[in-house]
């Protein structure tokens, strides 16, 4: 079972990892100690691998710091579900293989509720209800499967996406 | 309040792909040129990157990604990369000193010529001053305010560590062609009002995600100086924008080589997802109230908010024009009792110019102190972080909780004019309300 960590709108990267806790200031090995260290201090002590963040719009706004999503990967966050993501955070998360789903479940779920994340369907199941999650494009799924963009690039010698002129899905940005 | 009539409301299907037969927006024009085919909003492209910029805070991670994950010792082309030491400059701790020493060794080993060490200035200012990015180019930076390069009509955008490492290994990156939000500016600024006020006004109007994933394209600013263009372009990041573009005109045409294909023919009716009209003659000084950049109010409506520290600097407002504006207000005056004022020029060149023309003497006489050109306390690491309960009025770009020091410190954002006026009175002050002054 995953625990749901509920957040509001506009969670900025300074809340996720303040700049003074960057690996540059501390060390990469310590990164897992710092997610939400000031915004929500109980997070880093109570979070468990496989937990899911459910947040309001514009999650990850602000800085381009990849160590913000990297810190969430370090503690084992399985997915982040929000109605929208800030664009650099979206790219950084994708590049790290961190699953993001564009959906608004903030009113459907409560904080620290237990849930099951079904990455295949994909869906989130909580209090007997199944909440469908949007299916990402194939190239996003392939990137996830390789553990991120660098894993994909190393295996295939190219970027995962196919250049397109067709309308693209909302979360392929 | 400025008039912001929406001449084109967002269409119900604004994500529908605009026809390639329609004239391109500036972002579409640049990405079409780079991709070698006509592309429009919503398309995915893989494009060559003309320039990469990485600063001291992220370069160690980029080296790790290149060496440990990609098996490359360094960039495929050392001339692609610019490295600037600005985020903790000079080093404040043993950890940052060691990380910087490692970056210097790597830069030497990899024969990276374009290395700008401590004191050269904020990365984006160095990029533009040294003409390390050119109009029409695609430039990636390991910093969200790489949007600054839109000031000269370059497609500058922020990326994280892995995107930077891949761009350095392959010379390419992928981008989704953004929709464009067009801002038509009419009129000019009142005395004491400046581009930062326009940026903050737009943040208040549109919100932190008002241009998420989008390009912002400004029109009606042919008369604006380069410093002001940099402020406007960089602050589009606070709207969530991918890029903030000002079509090359005026001073940019004088100082930069602008390719013909970039010069915009406005007659072709590009597809804009949204268009705003802003009348600058109705714009007054704006202040962003913590803890979010889009909590914006006119300075005169704030009441008496006492300030402990005033900070003038950063890639947003640390340029010569900004220091001139502050000096004009502080000339033959002195800081209010209990106020400390930090001035951190955006670059060594700005610092030298401010020394040469007497601006620095004016600011020092008023009681200000000067820091090493670089990011200063903007990211809360050194050189003027604030304590719990303290109020800083800053010309930087973000006021998130804990951004600049203790999470219980409060960061208000404003123009250099408002910062100087507030340093004089000790409370947040609209410069237009200063008695008997020509501001």
């Amino acid at each position: 079972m995953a625990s749901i960590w509920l957040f509001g709108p506009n969670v900025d990267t300074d809340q996720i990892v303040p700049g003074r806790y960057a690996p540059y200031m501390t060390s990469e090995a310590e990164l897992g100690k710092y997610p939400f260290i000031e915004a929500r201090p109980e997070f880093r002590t109570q979070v468990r691998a496989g937990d899911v963040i459910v947040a309001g719009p514009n999650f990850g706004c602000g800085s381009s710091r990849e160590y913000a999503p990297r810190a969430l990967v370090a503690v084992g966050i399985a997915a982040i579900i929000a109605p929208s993501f800030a664009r650099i955070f979206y790219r950084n998360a994708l590049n790290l293989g961190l699953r993001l789903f564009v959906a608004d479940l903030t009113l459907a779920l409560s904080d620290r509720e237990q849930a099951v994340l079904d990455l295949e369907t994909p869906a989130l199941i909580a209090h007997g209800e199944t909440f469908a999650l949007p299916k990402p494009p194939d190239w996003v799924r392939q990137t996830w499967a390789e553990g991120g963009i660098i894993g994909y690039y190393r295996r295939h010698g190219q970027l995962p996406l196919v250049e397109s002129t067709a309308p693209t899905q909302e979360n392929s940005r | 309040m400025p008039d912001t009539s929406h001449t084109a409301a967002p269409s119900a299907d604004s994500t529908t792909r605009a026809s390639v037969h329609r004239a391109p927006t500036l972002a579409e024009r640049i990405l079409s040129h780079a991709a070698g085919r006509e592309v429009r909003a919503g398309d995915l492209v893989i494009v060559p990157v003309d320039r990469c910029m990485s600063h001291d805070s992220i370069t160690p991670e980029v080296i790790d990604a290149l060496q440990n994950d990609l098996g490359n010792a360094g960039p495929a082309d050392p001339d692609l990369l610019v490295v600037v030491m600005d985020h903790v400059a000079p080093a404040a701790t043993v950890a940052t000193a060691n990380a910087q020493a490692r970056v210097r060794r790597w830069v030497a080993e990899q024969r990276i010529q374009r290395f700008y060490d401590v004191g050269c200035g904020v990365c984006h200012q160095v990029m533009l001053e040294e003409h390390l990015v050119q109009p029409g180019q695609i430039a990636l930076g390991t910093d969200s305010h790489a949007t600054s390069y839109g000031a000269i009509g370059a497609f500058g955008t922020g990326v994280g560590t892995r995107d930077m490492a891949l761009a350095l290994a392959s010379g390419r990156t992928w981008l989704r062609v953004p929709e464009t939000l067009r801002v038509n500016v009419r009129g000019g600024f009142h005395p004491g009002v400046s581009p930062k006020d326009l940026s903050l006004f737009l943040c208040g109007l549109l919100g932190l995600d008002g241009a998420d994933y989008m390009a912002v394209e400004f029109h009606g600013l042919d008369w604006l100086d380069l410093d002001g263009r940099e402020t406007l372009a960089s602050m589009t990041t606070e709207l969530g924008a991918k890029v903030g573009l000002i079509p090359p005109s005026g001073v940019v045409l004088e100082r930069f080589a602008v390719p013909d294909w970039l010069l915009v023919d406005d007659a072709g009716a590009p597809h804009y997802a949204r268009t705003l009209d802003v009348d600058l003659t109705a714009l007054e000084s704006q202040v962003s109230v913590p803890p979010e950049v889009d909590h914006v109010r006119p300075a005169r409506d704030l009441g008496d908010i006492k300030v402990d520290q005033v900070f003038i600097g950063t890639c947003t407002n640390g340029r010569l024009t900004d220091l001139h504006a502050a000096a004009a207000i502080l000339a033959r005056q002195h800081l209010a009792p209990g106020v400390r004022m930090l001035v951190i020029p955006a670059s060594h060149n700005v610092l030298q110019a401010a020394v040469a023309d007497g601006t620095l003497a004016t600011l020092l006489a008023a009681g200000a102190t000067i820091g090493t050109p670089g990011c200063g306390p903007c990211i809360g690491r050194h050189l003027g972080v604030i304590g719990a309960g303290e109020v800083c009025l800053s010309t930087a770009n973000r006021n998130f909780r804990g951004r600049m020091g203790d999470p219980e410190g409060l960061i208000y954002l404003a123009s250099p004019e408002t910062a100087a006026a507030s340093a004089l009175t000790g409370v947040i002050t609209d410069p237009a309300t200063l008695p008997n002054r020509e501001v």
Side-chain angles (χ1 to χ4, degrees):
Chain A
M1 291 290 265
S3 194
I4 300 296
W5 293 86
L6 203 58
F7 287 85
N10 296 317
V11 172
D12 61 80
T13 52
D14 278 283
Q15 307 312 305
I16 302 171
V17 180
R20 35 188 208 292
Y21 296 96
Y24 181 37
M25 309 297 289
T26 56
S27 79
E28 185 72 24
E30 289 176 62
L31 188 53
K33 292 200 260 177
Y34 302 128
F36 300 109
I37 184 169
E38 286 164 355
R40 201 163 170 187
E42 79 279 14
F43 181 88
R44 67 198 171 104
T45 53
Q46 296 176 20
V47 70
R48 295 288 173 265
D51 283 0
V52 173
I53 291 175
V54 172
N58 203 29
F59 188 91
C61 63
S63 156
S64 60
R65 59 187 70 158
E66 192 198 78
Y67 56 82
R70 222 162 58 230
L72 299 176
V73 171
V75 296
I77 287 295
I80 307 175
I81 302 167
S84 64
F85 293 90
R87 60 162 290 273
I88 308 179
F89 187 89
Y90 186 91
R91 280 185 83 112
N92 284 338
L94 173 68
N95 288 350
L96 294 165
L98 172 58
R99 274 77 165 160
L100 305 187
F101 292 98
V102 178
D104 190 351
L105 298 184
T106 50
L107 297 178
L109 298 167
S110 42
D111 190 42
R112 308 309 303 278
E113 184 174 353
Q114 297 301 297
V116 172
L117 177 67
D118 168 6
L119 283 171
E120 275 311 304
T121 306
L124 190 77
I125 301 121
H127 54 256
E129 273 189 85
T130 298
F131 302 96
L133 298 172
K135 206 172 178 91
D138 285 346
W139 68 276
V140 169
R141 294 175 76 88
Q142 286 161 14
T143 307
W144 289 351
E146 301 288 1
I149 198 100
I150 291 199
Y152 189 96
Y153 185 83
R154 282 186 64 175
R155 185 189 284 256
H156 301 275
Q158 60 186 32
L159 295 170
L161 83 164
V162 176
E163 290 194 85
S164 76
T165 51
T168 53
Q169 292 189 33
E170 188 70 3
N171 59 355
S172 64
R173 297 183 289 195
Chain B
M1 273 304 214
D3 170 23
T4 56
S5 54
H6 299 193
T7 53
S11 61
D13 61 346
S14 62
T15 55
T16 302
R17 192 167 157 265
S19 162
V20 292
H21 302 300
R22 197 188 276 272
T25 63
L26 196 52
E28 291 167 340
R29 187 179 296 263
I30 295 171
L31 292 179
S32 293
H33 184 265
R37 64 189 173 100
E38 280 299 309
V39 297
R40 293 295 182 271
D43 290 348
L44 293 178
V45 295
I46 296 176
V47 290
V49 175
D50 298 298
R51 181 67 76 208
C52 290
M53 188 289 299
S54 185
H55 53 60
D56 55 315
S57 185
I58 300 298
T59 303
E61 299 182 9
V62 172
I63 300 171
D64 285 340
L66 278 168
Q67 296 184 344
N68 303 341
D69 300 335
L70 282 161
N72 292 33
D77 174 8
D79 290 339
L80 190 60
L81 180 62
V82 174
V83 176
V84 185
M85 308 293 250
D86 62 352
H87 271 55
V88 180
T93 61
V94 172
T96 51
N98 284 331
Q100 291 185 10
R102 180 180 176 218
V103 169
R104 290 187 190 97
R105 285 195 300 273
W106 180 75
V107 160
E109 282 162 15
Q110 295 299 316
R111 296 187 162 76
I112 292 162
Q113 304 293 319
R114 295 181 175 87
F115 174 60
Y116 296 85
D117 211 330
V118 167
C120 289
V122 186
C123 53
H124 308 307
Q125 183 63 18
V126 170
M127 286 283 282
L128 288 163
E129 274 180 6
E130 302 294 325
H131 288 215
L132 297 169
V133 57
Q134 298 286 339
Q137 287 188 334
I138 311 272
L140 304 181
T142 57
D143 190 283
S144 62
H145 294 105
T147 49
S148 301
Y149 318 145
I152 60 165
F155 196 101
T157 195
V159 297
T161 306
R162 253 131 277 269
D163 270 323
M164 177 57 64
L166 268 179
L168 291 173
S170 71
R172 299 160 79 77
T173 195
W174 71 273
L175 292 163
R176 179 184 175 278
V177 182
E179 284 83 19
T180 293
L181 185 158
R182 177 177 168 134
V183 180
N184 294 321
V185 177
R186 284 184 283 123
F189 294 111
H190 281 296
V193 182
S194 66
K196 181 64 161 294
D197 296 300
L198 173 56
S199 290
L200 291 177
F201 175 76
L202 291 174
C203 288
L205 183 72
L206 296 166
L208 289 178
D209 58 355
D212 193 16
Y213 293 105
M214 297 176 85
V216 179
E217 189 177 309
F218 290 93
H219 288 263
L221 294 170
D222 294 3
W223 48 272
L224 186 61
D225 57 40
L226 185 57
D227 290 4
R229 292 176 194 227
E230 291 179 47
T231 303
L232 289 176
S234 75
M235 282 294 290
T236 61
T237 296
E238 306 317 317
L239 299 166
K242 176 177 286 183
V243 65
L245 292 163
I246 302 172
S249 63
V251 66
V252 173
L253 296 179
E254 290 164 22
R255 293 197 213 165
F256 290 84
V258 181
D260 288 342
W261 61 261
L262 186 61
L263 294 168
V264 174
D265 171 18
D266 214 8
H271 176 76
Y272 295 105
R274 186 173 182 185
T275 301
L276 295 174
D277 290 323
V278 182
D279 178 4
L280 293 186
T281 63
L283 183 67
E284 53 186 339
S285 296
Q286 307 285 308
V287 173
S288 170
V289 177
E292 287 187 348
V293 184
D294 61 353
H295 296 179
V296 175
R297 297 177 61 190
R300 68 174 73 218
D301 292 351
L302 278 181
D304 286 348
I305 296 173
K306 190 179 172 308
V307 295
D308 299 294
Q309 175 171 294
V310 170
F311 168 41
I312 295 183
T314 77
C315 56
T316 317
N317 280 118
R319 285 172 280 276
L320 194 60
T321 310
D322 304 315
L323 304 193
H324 284 168
I329 289 169
L330 288 165
R332 295 173 299 281
Q333 308 277 328
H334 203 275
L335 307 182
V339 175
R340 49 190 200 269
M341 180 171 178
L342 303 175
V343 176
I344 301 190
S347 71
H348 181 80
N349 289 338
V350 170
L351 174 57
Q352 276 200 313
V355 169
D357 72 7
T359 302
L360 217 54
T362 301
L363 294 169
L364 292 172
T369 193
I370 309 298
T372 305
C375 300
C378 177
I379 47 228
R381 291 174 176 172
H382 68 338
L383 298 176
V385 300
I386 56 172
E390 288 198 309
V391 171
C392 180
L393 182 57
S394 166
T395 65
N397 40 52
R398 292 195 179 124
N399 56 0
F400 300 133
R401 185 171 179 269
R403 166 86 176 172
M404 220 176 134
D406 193 286
E408 304 306 324
L410 294 171
I411 310 156
Y412 290 78
L413 306 175
S415 70
E417 291 86 348
T418 301
S422 306
L424 207 53
T425 61
V427 294
I428 295 180
T429 298
D430 180 342
T433 65
L434 290 177
N436 305 319
R437 291 196 59 79
E438 303 268 329
V439 292

